[in-house]
């Protein structure tokens, strides 16, 4: 597969990079250290037109391709990994399932404002007792006589929780159908009565992203907000996560590239034993090794994006890309800290942040153990 980037791809990169340099870079240290989810910056980012990269013009999209979107996520992650997942959760985890499984009315009402960057989106699957095993949903939706549903339960660790306007939420509608056929997906709006927010997570990294608990107490959801068919929720969740994993892989790639870049620059400046660190072969070879790993990960991430674009099966490609890119991000961020020495362990330099941010890419949207399950089950089918 050839990854000659087109002028359009370059435009998406430039848009994200321009925003990253001008708006994210100057305040990232402060926002990271103080754990600031900056709603104004988020609105500005959504307004850039990145959310609509691959959606049709009739929904407000640019009708380009998935790779354009992935390149933008990668680019944003170089400057601010938290902001990159704010965008990725909105597009991959909220807009995409509405686009893939929604009715025309749902698309008009919910997809268009997400694509146009006017609304922020979120995805609520994880519960205290349903993490990797998402089939163990304890949130319940009971169907009422008028066709509406009443939701009760809670979700934890939800990216954009509390800030998002639109939420894709999963709940058990019929336990007798078993976990895989008894779960349904719903579109919730932030201001629905009974829908509130609980604990805000205090995290190791991605401090500029907001992660919150969702609480549902007798939330009445109209029948027209059921996404897909009743009982189709588990399938919708898994398909959605397939796409989301490419976004996380792009985030990881961006973090790895930023860590490598910082390490290269530092190695040229820092003098020990009378010469810059980069003049020691053990350092220059380490940097070369880091570069090779970044480039290998890049091919996997872009390949998965292209397969999604071409409507080819891409679950395994996304799983491989996410596992490899996130492991590469952790490895490179760790090596970057090593090259910085004691300064790398200090919060004065950005490599400490890269290391803290990289870790989450191995965990969310399916842990890296889950990516092994996806890949091994396809391999041994
Ligand atoms: C910052 C952040 C943002 C998040 N955003 C969202 C979001 O927007 N929406 C959402 O729904 N969720 C979100 N999550 C939740 C995230 O997807 C889960 O944390 C993740 O899926 C793992 O679930 P868990 O934490 O319950 O871990 P567990 O499922 O308890 O797993 C713990 C460990 O055991 C391993 N493990 C579990 N089962 C097996 C097995 N069968 N074989 C081998 N190993 C296994 C796991 O890989 C992991 O290493 C977020 C989490 C965080 C931390």
């Amino acid at each position: 597969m050839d990854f000659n980037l087109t002028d359009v791809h370059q435009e998406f990169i430039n848009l994200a990079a321009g925003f990253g340099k001008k708006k994210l870079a100057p305040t990232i240290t402060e926002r990271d250290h103080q754990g600031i989810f900056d709603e104004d910056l988020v609105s500005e980012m959504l307004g850039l037109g990145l959310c609509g990269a691959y959606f049709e013009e009739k929904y407000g999209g640019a009708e380009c391709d998935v790779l354009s979107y992935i390149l933008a996520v990668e680019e944003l992650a170089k400057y601010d990994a938290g902001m990159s997942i704010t965008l990725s959760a909105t597009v991959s985890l909220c807009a995409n399932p509405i686009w893939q499984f929604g009715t025309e009315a749902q698309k008009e009402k919910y997809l268009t404002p997400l694509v146009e960057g006017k609304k922020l989106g979120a995805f609520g699957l994880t519960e205290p007792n349903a993490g990797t095993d998402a089939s163990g949903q304890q949130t319940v939706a009971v169907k009422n006589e008028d066709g509406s549903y009443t939701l009760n339960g809670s979700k934890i660790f939800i990216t954009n929780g509390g800030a998002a306007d639109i939420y894709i939420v999963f709940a058990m509608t019929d336990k007798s159908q078993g976990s895989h056929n008894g779960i349904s997906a719903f579109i919730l709006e932030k201001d629905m009565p009974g829908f509130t927010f609980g604990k805000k997570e205090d995290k190791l990294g991605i401090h500029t992203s907001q992660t919150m608990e969702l609480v549902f107490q007798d939330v009445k959801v109209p029948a027209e907000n059921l996404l897909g068919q009743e009982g189709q929720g588990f399938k919708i969740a898994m398909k959605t996560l397939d796409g989301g994993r490419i976004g996380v892989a792009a985030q990881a790639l961006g973090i790895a590239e930023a860590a490598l870049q910082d390490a290269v620059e530092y190695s040229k400046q820092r003098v020990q034993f009378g010469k810059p660190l980069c003049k020691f072969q053990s350092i220059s070879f380490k940097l070369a090794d880091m570069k090779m790993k970044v480039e290998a990960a890049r091919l996997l991430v872009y390949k998965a994006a292209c397969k999604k674009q071409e409507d080819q099966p891409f679950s395994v490609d996304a799983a491989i890309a996410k596992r490899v890119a996130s492991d590469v991000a952790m490895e490179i961020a760790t090596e970057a800290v090593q090259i910085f020495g004691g300064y790398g362990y200090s919060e004065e330099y950005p490599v400490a942040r890269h290391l803290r941010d990289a870790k989450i890419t191995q965990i969310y949207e399916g842990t890296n153990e889950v990516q092994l399950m996806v890949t091994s089950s396809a391999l041994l089918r």
Side-chain angles (χ1 to χ4, degrees):
M1 203 170 289
D2 189 5
F3 295 116
N4 283 334
L5 299 185
T6 62
D7 289 349
V8 171
H9 292 137
Q10 200 53 54
E11 272 175 42
F12 275 90
I13 294 173
N14 293 347
L15 251 180
F19 180 73
K21 263 186 218 129
K22 235 201 239 154
K23 296 293 179 133
L24 301 179
T27 54
I28 180 59
T29 305
E30 185 194 346
R31 287 182 293 109
D32 171 56
H33 288 175
Q34 293 179 23
I36 298 172
F37 175 80
D38 187 325
E39 299 210 10
D40 292 337
L41 266 185
V42 170
S43 299
E44 216 177 312
M45 174 177 72
L46 296 182
L48 294 173
L50 304 173
C51 297
Y54 64 91
F55 299 104
E56 294 94 334
E57 280 177 14
K58 66 176 170 178
Y59 303 121
E63 226 167 296
C64 297
D65 61 5
V66 176
L67 184 56
S68 304
Y69 156 64
I70 286 303
L71 290 165
V73 174
E74 174 192 343
E75 204 59 35
L76 289 171
K78 291 181 189 171
Y79 299 92
D80 183 336
M83 288 287 272
S84 76
I85 202 67
T86 301
L87 184 90
S88 185
T90 298
V91 176
S92 296
L93 301 186
C94 188
N96 198 86
I98 298 173
W99 180 60
Q100 207 175 349
F101 300 99
T103 61
E104 272 312 310
Q106 287 171 340
K107 289 180 190 177
E108 199 178 309
K109 185 168 179 190
Y110 298 112
L111 177 62
T112 300
L114 288 165
V115 166
E116 289 177 340
K118 292 179 180 152
K119 301 267 183 191
L120 189 67
F123 171 90
L125 178 67
T126 305
E127 298 183 358
N129 294 314
T132 300
D133 182 10
S135 64
Q137 295 283 303
Q138 287 174 352
T139 295
V140 172
V142 177
K143 198 169 189 170
N144 302 310
E145 275 182 9
D146 63 359
S148 67
Y149 295 82
T150 300
L151 253 76
N152 278 289
S154 67
K155 301 284 169 184
I156 47 161
F157 295 141
I158 306 307
T159 301
N160 295 342
D165 309 283
I166 301 166
Y167 296 76
I168 307 298
V169 171
F170 298 85
M172 191 65 82
T173 36
D174 187 353
K175 215 170 178 180
S176 72
Q177 291 293 316
S179 43
H180 288 197
N181 294 317
I183 295 169
S184 301
F186 300 90
I187 306 172
L188 265 67
E189 294 178 36
K190 187 182 187 177
D191 54 7
M192 283 177 166
F195 181 12
T196 55
F197 302 97
K199 185 182 166 211
K200 182 176 160 188
E201 288 302 328
D202 185 9
K203 309 185 292 286
L204 174 68
I206 56 164
H207 291 156
T208 61
S209 158
Q210 181 160 292
T211 316
M212 235 186 217
E213 181 183 8
L214 316 182
V215 181
F216 317 108
Q217 274 178 315
D218 293 329
V219 180
K220 199 166 177 198
V221 181
E224 62 264 27
N225 282 35
L226 174 71
L227 181 64
Q229 305 297 314
E230 206 178 277
Q232 218 189 353
F234 192 76
K235 182 183 146 204
I236 293 175
M238 294 304 114
K239 293 257 174 225
T240 300
L241 288 172
D242 281 343
R245 281 168 195 157
I246 313 176
V248 174
Q251 178 193 29
L253 183 59
I255 296 169
E257 287 173 283
L260 173 59
Q261 187 59 34
D262 290 342
V264 166
E265 280 164 24
Y266 188 78
S267 75
K268 290 181 187 166
Q269 288 159 14
R270 174 72 173 168
V271 174
Q272 287 293 279
F273 298 97
K275 51 185 178 181
L277 292 179
C278 64
K279 296 291 178 196
F280 298 104
Q281 197 179 57
S282 61
I283 299 285
S284 63
F285 275 17
K286 194 194 283 287
L287 289 167
D289 229 5
M290 289 156 78
K291 172 73 175 163
M292 289 175 190
K293 285 175 181 163
V294 165
E295 292 310 316
R298 180 193 310 288
L299 293 181
L300 292 171
V301 178
Y302 293 3
K303 179 186 173 197
C306 291
K307 284 186 101 171
K308 174 166 164 44
Q309 175 63 31
E310 289 160 12
D311 238 355
Q312 292 181 40
F314 68 92
S315 307
V316 176
D317 302 270
I320 294 172
K322 197 255 186 194
R323 179 171 165 99
V324 172
S326 60
D327 285 354
V328 163
M330 262 314 273
E331 204 181 323
I332 283 167
T334 306
E335 291 291 29
V337 168
Q338 193 67 19
I339 289 171
F340 272 71
Y343 298 96
Y345 201 68
S346 157
E347 287 288 345
E348 200 184 325
Y349 287 90
V351 283
R353 169 169 52 86
H354 298 322
L355 181 55
R356 290 187 282 99
D357 288 349
K359 186 61 202 168
I360 189 59
T361 64
Q362 295 180 314
I363 296 173
Y364 56 20
E365 303 199 28
T367 62
N368 278 6
E369 289 73 26
V370 169
Q371 313 317 322
L372 290 177
M373 291 178 204
V374 172
T375 308
S376 62
S377 58
L379 191 64
L380 301 171
R381 199 175 285 144

